[in-house]
Amino acid sequence: GESVGLHLPTLSVQEGDNSIINCAYSNSASDYFIWYKQESGKGPQFIIDIRSNMDKRQGQRVTVLLNKTVKHLSLQIAATQPGDSAVYFCAENAGSGGGADGLTFGKGTHLIIQP
Amino acid sequence: DSGVTQTPKHLITATGQRVTLRCSPRSGDLSVYWYQQSLDQGLQFLIQYYNGEERAKGNILERFSAQQFPDLHSELNLSSLELGDSALYFCASSVIGTPYNEQFFGPGTRLTVL
């Protein structure tokens, strides 16, 4: 399948600031998007998801924005904390396309929190 | 803790050998997915099983195979191992097999091929 990519491999932010992690996808058939967080030595952990019929979804301290026109996805983390340090992956699935049900992951952004 | 368990945690073997990785999904989850994570390829979907049946295939090599047993645990078999097969292998599970369901990932098995 087509790949999902991220704009920046590393993002460094001050503790307490808001973080924005971006992702560009290329499969226009994708209709389900997910953000995962992976801490060192652990498996990916679900953060938030969004379907293509929405452009914004909010969770606890996190917001995902979807711009289908430019095929762009972003994850906003409010008031970044040391525990937010991890690699963040966007993933997509062409759920309604009848294709493989596995997720296609981007390469990941390493979020570093500065004290 | 996601509720998905994987064994072993680490595996070191030699080229040409065969290994089996094991995954137990979360209680109640019928669908199991296998992913490979390597530095050069990132996280790649390999294969999915749903209630014992193969549901979808991704970038899985012919040397690799998987199955899901009646108790819903799954095994990933890797044979004729090559140096490039060294990677983290993750299992994930979801309640049902449709794409809009959250996939819960296990802690992974780190495979090193020498």
Side-chain angles (χ1 to χ4, degrees):
Chain A
E2 298 180 57
S3 63
V4 182
L6 288 169
H7 295 300
L8 289 173
T10 303
L11 176 64
S12 183
V13 299
Q14 292 289 125
E15 183 179 347
D17 286 352
N18 296 335
S19 302
I20 300 176
I21 301 172
N22 295 304
C23 177
Y25 65 95
S26 55
N27 186 355
S28 55
S30 296
D31 59 358
Y32 179 55
F33 304 88
I34 314 99
W35 282 99
Y36 279 90
K37 171 186 180 183
Q38 187 175 22
E39 296 173 289
S40 181
K42 297 184 178 180
Q45 178 187 355
F46 175 93
I47 300 174
I48 192 168
D49 61 359
I50 188 168
R51 293 199 189 185
S52 60
N53 60 354
M54 303 172 70
D55 53 18
K56 180 179 180 178
R57 191 160 188 230
Q58 287 184 291
Q60 187 177 17
R61 277 202 312 120
V62 294
T63 301
V64 55
L65 299 177
L66 175 63
N67 185 330
K68 295 180 287 295
T69 303
V70 295
K71 296 182 199 166
H72 184 268
L73 190 69
S74 69
L75 176 70
Q76 300 177 2
I77 304 174
T80 312
Q81 302 169 357
D84 295 328
S85 288
V87 178
Y88 289 81
F89 294 94
C90 63
E92 57 90 6
N93 197 330
S96 60
D101 291 342
L103 299 170
T104 300
F105 281 84
K107 293 195 182 300
T109 293
H110 186 192
L111 179 64
I112 299 170
I113 312 302
Q114 304 283 358
Chain B
D1 184 357
S2 66
V4 178
T5 60
Q6 290 187 248
T7 57
K9 193 169 184 177
H10 301 279
L11 198 49
I12 301 174
T13 188
T15 55
Q17 295 298 304
R18 172 189 166 95
V19 297
T20 298
L21 313 183
R22 183 187 168 104
C23 167
S24 292
R26 292 188 324 152
S27 177
D29 285 1
L30 299 179
S31 195
V32 169
Y33 310 75
W34 286 97
Y35 292 84
Q36 179 194 60
Q37 186 175 35
S38 62
L39 281 174
D40 55 341
Q41 297 292 327
L43 259 166
Q44 288 202 88
F45 166 65
L46 297 178
I47 197 163
Q48 177 200 4
Y49 278 79
Y50 175 66
N51 205 19
E53 299 289 325
E54 183 183 304
R55 173 70 179 258
K57 264 187 175 179
N59 299 319
I60 189 165
L61 300 172
E62 285 192 11
R63 300 184 284 109
F64 297 0
S65 64
Q67 51 185 328
Q68 186 178 27
F69 295 86
D71 66 353
L72 301 177
H73 91 271
S74 178
E75 292 180 355
L76 179 67
N77 301 296
L78 315 177
S79 61
S80 303
L81 285 167
E82 303 174 359
L83 296 177
D85 297 327
S86 293
L88 271 166
Y89 291 84
F90 289 105
C91 168
S93 72
S94 65
V95 176
I96 57 179
T98 60
Y100 301 118
N101 288 275
E102 180 180 343
Q103 294 183 23
F104 294 86
F105 281 75
T109 292
R110 182 174 292 280
L111 174 66
T112 303
V113 182
L114 301 175

